[in-house]
Every structure is written in structure tokens, then in C-alpha cells.
Amino acid sequence: MDTNHEVYAKSNNGTACTYTARFQSVIGTGKVSMVCNVEEKKHGLLLLMKHTTQKCEWSFDEKMLNAVAVFKLEVEKLSCKEHE
């Protein structure tokens, strides 16, 4: 998961080679599995929506729940990276 993205120029000489990006990321390794249980799928989608919108209350149409795949990562190892 990446956050705090920003593309910027190290200098103002107008060349593309002076551009870089800053970011922070968290990298998880482990076992990935598909979520089939409807309640667990809703829970995962609610967490994702809360993270991206800051809104906690969402409803999901059953047809849409059946159309989307949700995966979970059972984390065995986490690492972090920051580039400035």
C-alpha cells in the first residue's frame, strides 16, 4: 500500500530527468486467499471504503457483491519504505 505520493522536480532546468517521486509504502508478504463468505466480504469492502472516503456507513447491493472479488492477505511479514 502506497501513500503520500508526490512527483516533483529536483531542479527547475526544464528537463524530464530532474523529476522524481516521493512516497511511503507498506509491503506485506504472506498467504493470499479469496474471500467467499458474504459477511467477511462486506467487512473487507467496508474497511476499504472507510480508508478511502473516511465514511463508515455503506450498503452493498447483493448483485454487486456477487460481481466483485475480495482477497485477503494473512500477513507473515511487514516492511516499510520511504523515498524522499
Side-chain angles (χ1 to χ4, degrees):
M1 177 172 64
D2 292 335
T3 185
N4 293 332
H5 298 109
E6 181 184 4
V7 175
Y8 65 97
K10 290 184 184 180
S11 67
N12 291 327
N13 69 5
T15 63
C17 295
T18 63
Y19 277 77
T20 188
R22 68 172 49 106
F23 63 89
Q24 296 171 325
S25 64
V26 176
I27 302 161
T29 58
K31 184 176 181 178
V32 175
S33 59
M34 185 181 289
V35 175
C36 296
N37 177 283
V38 174
E39 291 306 312
E40 189 177 3
K41 191 184 256 193
K42 283 182 190 177
H43 179 70
L45 292 170
L46 283 170
L47 291 174
L48 181 63
M49 293 303 294
K50 181 180 177 186
H51 177 76
T52 57
T53 68
Q54 310 309 309
K55 181 181 167 186
C56 297
E57 299 295 324
W58 292 96
S59 61
F60 298 99
D61 180 275
E62 186 176 339
K63 183 178 177 182
M64 297 307 283
L65 280 173
N66 292 330
V68 70
V70 175
F71 296 86
K72 67 178 177 181
L73 171 65
E74 294 179 43
V75 176
E76 295 171 359
K77 181 180 175 185
L78 284 176
S79 60
C80 303
K81 182 176 181 180
E82 181 175 41
H83 182 267
E84 292 240 8

